Amino acid sequence: MPPKKLESMVAFFLPAAVREHVLGDLQERYRSPSQYAFDGLRTVPMVVVGRILRTAKPRRLALEGASILLAYYAGSVFGGGEGIRVWLAAAITLTALVVRDAYTAIECRVRPVTAFEAAVTGWLIQLGFGILPAKTALLGASISAALLLMVRLSGESRAPRAVTGSLDEVPERARRFEKTVRGRNLREYAGVGMVLLMFGFAASRAKDWTQFAPPLLMCAGALLTGWLLRKYGTPLRLPPSLEGIDLLRFYRTEVERQRRLLSTVWRWYLGPLIPGFLAIFIGQMARRPDWKTAVPAFFLFLLMTSAVIWLNRREARHLKREIESLDAIERDLLVR
Amino acid sequence: MAKADSIGQLEQLVLTAILRLGDDAYGVSIHSTVEELTKPRAVSLGAIYVTLDRLESKGMLTSRLTDPTPERGGRAKRCYRLEALGERALKESAVTAKRMWDMIGSALGGRKWVKEY
């Protein structure tokens, strides 16, 4: 039997998903404490690397990396900090996120709460090493936690993936879909609230119109986005009396409405926010021309915008598959 | 039918070990079998875990935890099973290796090491 302390130490460094069987394997190979320690030292790093490769998906990682970078850039606008330090802070947070995912993910499912943990870890490391001014670090960590949480939750809020099925499954699928859309809308409204709070605060501290206009435009854009989402994206309640093919058609109309909404996200979701973003850039450049920060920040903004469009179009494609599946069920019923 | 991913040498060895071990394919037993195949070259247990993880994410393997046993300190084993995709990838690798071996045999048939095998 390996010494308890040694075993606990190895267990501490092993990710949760593999701890049970790797500890068992190491115990089976146990000959002496030194052999066990050597075995553990050789095995644990490889196991962690294996978990990182398993849980870190390149596309999600790119989106999360861009979100963190955008958050720290936004933080540096208000709290100061040089370009390279902003990148370093973002890299630290992303690393914390990747490692935390590897340690906590069950199978390949990453948890949304890890976003918050990674942001806090990144913030603590930065404070410890004094990488960014305290205000920038706090702002960057808070915004990155919010953005990462949104990215993770939007990744979770998938529409039903069924490509086939029977009429019996439709009520459950319709209920799940309504719940998913309501959840997404609530999160978006929370996002609008956050933008209003953040930029409302910035507007309240403005000294002149050049400082007042950009946050005001952002607030107006966020309000318009929220209003458009409410107008076009609120799901209709499933009438309890509806059943059979009528329910299927009702559900199909709802899915089609959401699909159209997602495929035109640039028009109603991003479009209203663009004047505000541009005003921030222009105002910032007019006050303190700093191309070293402005150019990467602008490209980052383009990257984030493209990522939002891509994610929503992907969801729209999933919904199209759902519509095709519903059409197949209807065709099948009519043939019979 | 979906095309099987091409697999590396260690992946081939791990799949072969799992195929041979059947129901008893878990970390330690797979590692011993792979070491038997790669003799005299040693392979670390960590490398086996990384490969198993990769093969599982490619859908070539599935795994399950067995009941805990006293000789493992009351801990479960993670047993692996070869899936159809893994078997096909292994078959493709074996066919390629066989063709390569035939070509070597016809080109260097006279050499002692070729005759030995």
Side-chain angles (χ1 to χ4, degrees):
Chain A
M1 283 276 283
K4 277 278 165 227
K5 274 188 185 168
L6 196 57
E7 197 179 35
S8 312
M9 216 185 313
V10 174
F12 177 77
F13 288 105
L14 280 171
V18 297
R19 197 172 292 138
E20 168 90 5
H21 68 271
V22 173
L23 279 180
D25 285 356
L26 290 176
Q27 173 151 355
E28 215 179 303
R29 287 157 58 92
Y30 176 77
R31 275 163 202 61
S32 67
S34 57
Q35 173 273 333
Y36 186 84
F38 184 64
D39 223 11
L41 270 176
R42 276 184 7 134
T43 307
V44 173
M46 299 285 275
V47 168
V48 175
V49 169
R51 288 306 299 168
I52 288 175
L53 292 174
R54 186 94 192 261
T55 52
K57 304 284 177 232
R59 280 180 184 171
R60 195 189 63 225
L61 207 63
L63 188 60
E64 288 176 346
S67 305
I68 299 170
L69 205 51
L70 187 70
Y72 276 99
Y73 262 116
S76 72
V77 170
F78 294 104
E82 290 165 24
I84 188 76
R85 286 173 179 263
V86 169
W87 281 82
L88 186 60
I92 289 170
T93 308
L94 187 64
T95 309
L97 185 69
V98 168
V99 174
R100 191 78 193 125
D101 273 341
Y103 272 87
T104 56
I106 303 298
E107 296 303 327
C108 288
R109 284 180 66 85
V110 291
R111 305 174 315 154
V113 74
T114 316
F116 180 72
E117 294 166 356
V120 173
T121 311
W123 175 59
L124 290 175
I125 295 173
Q126 283 170 61
L127 278 189
F129 288 94
I131 293 167
L132 283 172
K135 191 179 169 188
T136 309
L138 185 63
L139 273 172
S142 314
I143 303 170
S144 59
L147 286 179
L148 288 174
L149 210 60
M150 267 155 60
V151 168
R152 296 230 150 160
L153 288 173
S154 66
E156 275 199 341
S157 68
R158 294 269 180 104
R161 292 284 187 272
V163 285
T164 54
S166 67
L167 191 64
D168 303 339
E169 293 170 13
V170 173
E172 180 52 30
R173 274 154 74 173
R175 261 190 294 277
R176 264 205 330 253
F177 183 70
E178 189 192 327
K179 200 176 154 199
T180 306
V181 175
R182 282 193 192 283
R184 179 209 64 191
N185 287 6
L186 273 180
R187 282 194 296 277
E188 293 299 339
Y189 295 142
V192 168
M194 220 171 65
V195 171
L196 289 179
L197 264 178
M198 225 166 69
F199 287 95
F201 176 72
S204 73
R205 298 181 55 135
K207 293 185 183 88
D208 54 48
W209 265 101
T210 57
Q211 286 184 359
F212 186 64
L216 193 71
L217 279 171
M218 281 303 289
C219 288
L223 276 173
L224 183 60
T225 300
W227 179 73
L228 288 170
L229 177 67
R230 186 169 166 69
K231 189 175 176 193
Y232 299 113
T234 305
L236 293 179
R237 285 214 180 276
L238 202 66
S241 57
L242 223 53
E243 54 185 29
I245 200 149
D246 293 331
L247 192 142
L248 184 142
R249 284 178 182 155
F250 172 87
Y251 174 43
R252 190 195 185 285
T253 312
E254 280 297 282
V255 178
E256 175 57 28
R257 195 157 65 89
Q258 293 298 332
R259 189 196 67 78
R260 244 183 274 147
L261 193 75
L262 294 184
S263 46
T264 56
V265 75
W266 51 272
R267 205 162 58 197
W268 65 271
Y269 187 75
L270 295 169
L273 296 171
I274 284 177
F277 275 120
L278 286 178
I280 290 176
F281 276 123
I282 294 166
Q284 189 65 26
M285 290 302 285
R287 273 196 304 279
R288 195 181 64 191
D290 177 10
W291 290 103
K292 269 189 205 161
T293 311
V295 173
F298 186 72
F299 278 106
L300 206 60
F301 167 69
L302 283 183
L303 188 75
M304 285 293 290
T305 313
S306 317
V308 170
I309 293 174
W310 172 75
L311 274 174
N312 280 280
R313 286 201 171 156
R314 191 183 64 164
E315 286 305 311
R317 280 197 298 275
H318 289 310
L319 292 187
K320 192 161 182 268
R321 251 183 271 161
E322 178 69 359
I323 291 168
E324 283 163 5
S325 144
L326 292 173
D327 288 345
I329 296 174
E330 191 176 346
R331 261 198 314 275
D332 196 34
L333 280 173
L334 293 175
V335 167
R336 264 192 261 162
Chain B
M1 191 188 280
K3 193 177 180 296
D5 279 343
S6 60
I7 50 173
Q9 195 192 22
L10 192 53
E11 288 174 325
Q12 291 168 16
L13 291 165
V14 168
L15 289 177
T16 309
I18 293 170
L19 191 69
R20 178 178 161 184
L21 290 163
D23 288 342
D24 196 35
Y26 69 102
V28 175
S29 65
I30 295 169
H31 178 245
S32 317
T33 312
V34 168
E35 284 212 315
E36 222 175 89
L37 289 165
T38 57
K39 237 181 247 175
R41 205 183 74 193
V43 177
S44 74
L45 183 61
I48 299 292
Y49 288 131
V50 175
T51 311
L52 286 168
D53 248 348
R54 195 166 52 234
L55 288 169
E56 204 176 356
S57 66
K58 283 181 181 176
M60 294 184 184
L61 298 177
T62 49
S63 69
R64 66 185 168 88
L65 280 174
T66 61
D67 291 333
T69 53
E71 65 269 21
R72 292 168 59 86
R75 293 197 178 86
K77 283 177 189 172
R78 182 168 286 279
C79 284
Y80 294 87
R81 205 183 74 176
L82 197 62
E83 289 301 319
L85 196 64
E87 203 176 315
R88 201 157 69 240
L90 191 59
K91 191 186 88 183
E92 281 172 16
S93 302
V95 168
T96 308
K98 173 79 171 59
R99 277 196 218 116
M100 201 169 84
W101 182 244
D102 290 346
M103 214 170 267
I104 291 171
S106 62
L108 304 171
R111 302 270 171 94
K112 192 183 164 199
W113 66 270
V114 177
K115 279 181 187 160
E116 269 175 20
Y117 289 100

